[in-house]
């Protein structure tokens, strides 16, 4: 991917220690925008991203896009990281893609069984990773999104509708199902450890159940506040490559390749 970037005219700058404020400042000189597209670990969000914001301000970068890819964190809790960003001498864009298909559509690649959570009829906004990348590239370079949140909202289904599609396409498959109630989600969120026990993904159990609580109990996956612009309004001609229905109809998406 880096080689393709160079071939398209991009420049690759290697910074061995991204916690080095001066090194990051030098690397960002001449840049218009910094997009923090890295795994959102606690250390990244609470420590590294603070350094990157300081470096961006010192380098006179015009726009800062923090690692907000996923649920609408500003709609859940306006935290210290948000306040630091809003008080800094820089413009910003918060991009929220909702869920990623692998984690939010029924499948046996990321789950041991067909797994559902909490409120079954909540709207779940979820998108395929390449569509997220294309829409993000538009949003973080769009002058209309300066000092705004952008919420992707091209695909929306409830878990009830997802299961109906699964049964429609695989009527004879003996799926095993498991459902976690709202009460169990809350209990697991309060008691989960920092171990990583999920079949796929790097999130800790505590992080997973915290996300499940926000999405399937509080219904905060997507939030449409006054400062939030809808993707469908910004880009009415944007066409997703893969819809949830198309993904669920694809056996390669649903079934574990090793099974």
């Amino acid at each position: 991917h880096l080689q393709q970037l160079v071939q398209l005219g991009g420049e690759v700058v290697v910074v061995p220690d991204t916690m080095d404020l001066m090194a990051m400042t030098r690397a960002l000189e001449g840049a218009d925008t910094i997009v923090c597209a890295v795994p959102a670990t606690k250390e990244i969000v609470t420590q590294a991203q603070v350094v990157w914001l300081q470096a961006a301000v010192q380098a006179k970068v015009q726009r800062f896009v923090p690692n907000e890819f996923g649920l609408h964190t500003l709609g859940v809790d306006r935290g210290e990281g948000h306040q630091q960003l809003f008080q800094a001498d820089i413009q910003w864009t918060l991009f929220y893609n909702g869920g990623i298909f692998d984690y939010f559509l029924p499948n046996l690649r990321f789950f041991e069984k067909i797994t559902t959570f909490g409120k079954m009829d909540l709207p779940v906004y979820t998108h395929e990773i390449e569509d997220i990348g294309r829409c993000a590239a538009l949003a973080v370079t769009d002058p209309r999104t300066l000092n705004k949140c952008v919420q992707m909202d091209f695909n929306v289904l409830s878990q009830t509708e997802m299961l109906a599609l699964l049964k429609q396409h695989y009527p004879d498959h003996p799926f095993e199902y498991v459902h976690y109630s709202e009460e169990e989600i809350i209990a697991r969120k309060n008691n989960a450890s920092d171990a990583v026990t999920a079949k796929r993904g790097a999130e800790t159990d505590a992080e997973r159940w915290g996300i499940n609580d926000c999405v399937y109990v509080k219904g905060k996956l997507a939030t449409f506040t006054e400062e939030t612009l809808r993707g469908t309004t910004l880009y009415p001609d944007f066409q997703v490559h893969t819809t949830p229905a198309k993904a669920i109809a694809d056996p390669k998406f649903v079934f574990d390749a090793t099974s």
Side-chain angles (χ1 to χ4, degrees):
H1 293 301
L2 290 179
Q3 185 177 2
Q4 291 177 340
L5 180 63
V6 172
Q7 291 173 346
L8 291 171
E11 180 181 356
V12 177
V13 178
V14 178
V15 181
D17 181 8
T18 60
M19 293 293 289
D20 184 330
L21 176 58
M22 294 306 297
M24 285 297 296
T25 300
R26 289 192 297 270
L28 291 173
E29 289 177 352
D32 296 319
T33 301
I34 174 172
V35 181
C36 304
V38 293
T41 63
K42 182 178 180 180
E43 291 73 19
I44 289 292
V45 173
T46 62
Q47 299 176 35
Q49 198 161 254
V50 175
V51 174
W52 304 341
L53 175 59
Q54 294 172 343
V57 172
Q58 292 186 16
K60 301 188 183 306
V61 174
Q62 297 174 25
R63 183 190 325 224
F64 191 88
V65 184
N67 200 326
E68 297 284 326
F69 303 94
L71 62 84
H72 198 307
T73 55
L74 196 60
V76 175
D77 178 30
R78 189 180 289 263
E80 182 179 349
H82 293 125
Q83 294 303 327
Q84 291 174 338
L85 174 59
F86 300 154
Q87 293 169 5
D89 185 20
I90 194 170
Q91 299 184 99
W92 50 269
T93 298
L94 304 183
F95 182 82
Y96 300 113
N97 51 257
I100 299 174
F101 279 4
D102 293 325
Y103 292 97
F104 286 82
L105 297 183
N107 71 83
L108 297 177
R109 297 176 302 109
F110 276 62
F111 298 90
E112 298 291 349
K113 301 177 181 180
I114 299 300
T115 307
T116 53
F117 303 90
K119 297 182 176 76
M120 291 291 293
D121 292 321
L122 284 174
V124 178
Y125 293 85
T126 181
H127 302 87
E128 194 268 337
I129 191 68
E130 291 189 7
D131 288 325
I132 292 171
R134 292 192 301 120
C135 189
L138 291 172
V140 303
T141 56
D142 190 332
R144 296 174 298 171
T145 67
L146 287 169
N147 300 332
K148 295 288 186 179
C149 305
V150 178
Q151 176 70 63
M152 279 190 77
D153 62 336
F154 298 94
N155 301 323
V156 58
L157 285 176
S158 69
Q159 292 180 95
T160 299
E161 292 171 317
M162 294 176 191
L163 290 187
L165 285 171
L166 188 73
K167 293 173 182 178
Q168 173 187 328
H169 290 292
Y170 312 98
D172 299 322
H173 189 84
F175 288 111
E176 292 185 77
Y177 297 87
V178 59
H179 179 77
Y180 293 96
S181 68
E182 295 175 60
E183 294 75 16
E184 187 164 4
I185 291 171
I186 294 170
R188 286 177 178 257
K189 181 196 72 169
N190 293 334
N191 297 297
S193 71
D194 289 331
V196 179
T197 64
K199 183 177 181 180
R200 298 276 292 276
E203 298 85 2
T204 67
D205 291 356
E207 290 168 338
R208 282 285 180 103
W209 289 106
I211 293 170
N212 290 336
D213 177 58
C214 285
V215 175
Y216 301 110
V217 178
K218 295 184 173 71
K220 293 289 188 177
L221 175 60
T223 304
F224 300 97
T225 62
E226 290 184 0
E227 58 198 342
T228 301
L229 304 174
R230 289 177 176 264
T232 51
T233 301
L234 282 169
Y235 311 113
D237 297 326
F238 184 88
Q239 296 291 322
V240 296
H241 286 164
T242 308
T243 63
K246 184 177 179 180
I248 293 172
D250 183 359
K252 292 181 180 179
F253 174 85
V254 172
F255 296 99
D256 191 330
T258 62
S259 63

